[in-house]
Amino acid sequence: MADWGPLLTLTFLTTLLISGIRLAIPIFLAALGEIITERGGVLNLGLEGIMLAGALAGFMTAYAAEQSATPWLVGLAPWLGLGAGLIAGLLMGLIMAVLAVSLQTDQVVTSIMLVILGQGITTYVYRQQFSSLTARVTGMKPVPIPVLADLPLVGPVLFNHDLVTYGSLLLLAASLFFLYRTTWGLNIRAVGEHPAAAETSGVNVVAVRYGAVLLGAALTGLGGAVLTVAQLGIFNEGITAGRGWIAVALVIFARWRPERAFAGALLFGIATALQFRIQALNLEAIPYELLLMLPYVLTLLVLLQGGGRSVAPAALGRAYVKE
């Protein structure tokens, strides 16, 4: 008979929640980027490829910095890696913007091209650079907040994370202010709903869509870099393991709202953490294959729950032709 005792302890619950919050961050960043992009009326389904590009660029940059003989460069390695991931996402977004906004190609087809491009480039470059090496980077250590981190249960769960996790929570608040309290956010939402009316009001639709796509892709690339640089410390082929597609599904579940996207990402993070924790406990009563399926089964449930009642931006996926 299986021993379920280890699953019913406070220690297990605490470590599960800590890991769940950390694992939620890359998915949340990608989902937030896609929300901004789709609010601007552009459907970018290439998050998986963009995350991979950001993950590899971030890992290679952090690895190169750590291998250097310059102490200050070694100290900045994680931040340089995150910056490189953001820039890689930006470049992938530029390809999407040129093709989908300027050349008005089919946005679904262009997105799939980005996924294939990201998978192909990262596989080739990684094999060329690290084929015979077991490369790792140090990653980022938790920074406990004084006093608050010592609180029972909520202290380690909420106040003992790395700086990227704290920054992502601030980014959630900033995105809400940006989208709903600033002129730029209003312009993005207007272009996503009715671009012709926005143009009549003096909004440059092409410029706003470029900005939305680039900002969204940059956040997605950053999410990939967080995965390899701040959390796992390694890169391997296909390391994102479908997180980009999960982020796309989360946008529908979240109904294009950042706070709901964070809640959904947290759900997936906890599901993934539960999978890892149960595997570590080696409970034979729960099949390993079933645990691997858990995040993807949740994706299907999220789509079934949120898809029917979601109302997408009216101009989403439609090329804008100025009359």
Side-chain angles (χ1 to χ4, degrees):
M1 185 174 179
D3 180 13
W4 298 97
L7 299 180
L8 305 175
T9 63
L10 186 60
T11 302
F12 179 84
L13 177 63
T14 304
T15 54
L16 176 68
L17 293 176
I18 293 171
S19 300
I21 291 174
R22 290 185 72 243
L23 292 170
I25 298 305
I27 299 176
F28 166 66
L29 291 173
L32 178 60
E34 183 64 6
I35 286 173
I36 294 172
T37 304
E38 293 195 11
R39 282 285 191 176
V42 179
L43 181 64
N44 183 0
L45 301 176
L47 303 192
E48 186 74 5
I50 298 173
M51 282 191 83
L52 277 171
L56 180 61
F59 176 78
M60 289 181 63
T61 303
Y63 182 79
E66 288 189 359
Q67 298 303 309
S68 70
T70 310
W72 67 267
L73 203 56
V74 175
L76 288 176
W79 299 106
L80 294 173
L82 295 177
L86 189 147
I87 292 172
L90 202 63
L91 294 175
M92 294 286 279
L94 184 60
I95 296 173
M96 180 73 190
V98 169
L99 292 175
V101 180
S102 295
L103 302 181
Q104 300 178 0
T105 58
D106 185 289
Q107 294 178 14
V108 174
V109 174
T110 306
S111 299
I112 294 173
M113 182 274 292
L114 277 187
V115 175
I116 297 171
L117 180 65
Q119 292 172 336
I121 285 181
T122 54
T123 298
Y124 173 77
V125 173
Y126 181 72
R127 289 183 180 179
Q128 289 292 319
Q129 296 295 321
F130 300 102
S131 59
S132 60
L133 295 174
T134 305
R136 293 191 67 88
V137 296
T138 303
M140 303 184 80
K141 296 179 179 178
V143 180
I145 297 178
V147 181
L148 295 177
D150 297 327
L151 295 173
L153 185 57
V154 295
V157 171
L158 298 179
F159 305 111
N160 189 23
H161 292 281
D162 57 41
L163 293 177
V164 169
T165 302
Y166 297 136
S168 298
L169 296 177
L170 293 176
L171 192 59
L172 169 60
S175 66
L176 289 169
F177 181 80
F178 172 75
L179 279 175
Y180 301 106
R181 293 289 185 273
T182 66
T183 302
W184 291 351
L186 176 63
N187 288 344
I188 289 175
R189 290 187 289 129
V191 165
E193 293 293 340
H194 203 312
E199 187 85 43
T200 304
S201 302
V203 177
N204 187 329
V205 173
V206 171
V208 170
R209 286 194 164 182
Y210 258 80
V213 173
L214 293 178
L215 179 56
L219 287 172
T220 305
L222 177 62
V226 169
L227 185 68
T228 54
V229 174
Q231 297 188 353
L232 302 180
I234 60 170
F235 180 89
N236 55 48
E237 296 169 21
I239 194 169
T240 51
R243 286 176 174 81
W245 297 110
I246 290 174
V248 172
L250 271 185
V251 173
I252 300 171
F253 163 78
R255 300 174 198 169
W256 293 266
R257 298 278 310 188
E259 73 278 15
R260 288 176 62 88
F262 180 79
L266 190 58
L267 177 67
F268 284 103
I270 292 175
T272 306
L274 181 64
Q275 165 199 328
F276 291 150
R277 300 301 300 172
I278 292 180
Q279 282 184 50
L281 292 173
N282 196 25
L283 292 177
E284 297 180 355
I286 304 177
Y288 170 74
E289 294 80 4
L290 187 63
L291 294 173
L292 288 178
M293 287 173 54
L294 187 57
Y296 306 102
V297 172
L298 272 177
T299 304
L300 290 175
L301 294 176
V302 159
L303 284 173
L304 290 173
Q305 192 276 336
R309 290 179 291 177
S310 296
V311 179
L316 179 61
R318 298 179 188 171
Y320 175 67
V321 181
K322 188 175 181 179
E323 297 178 355

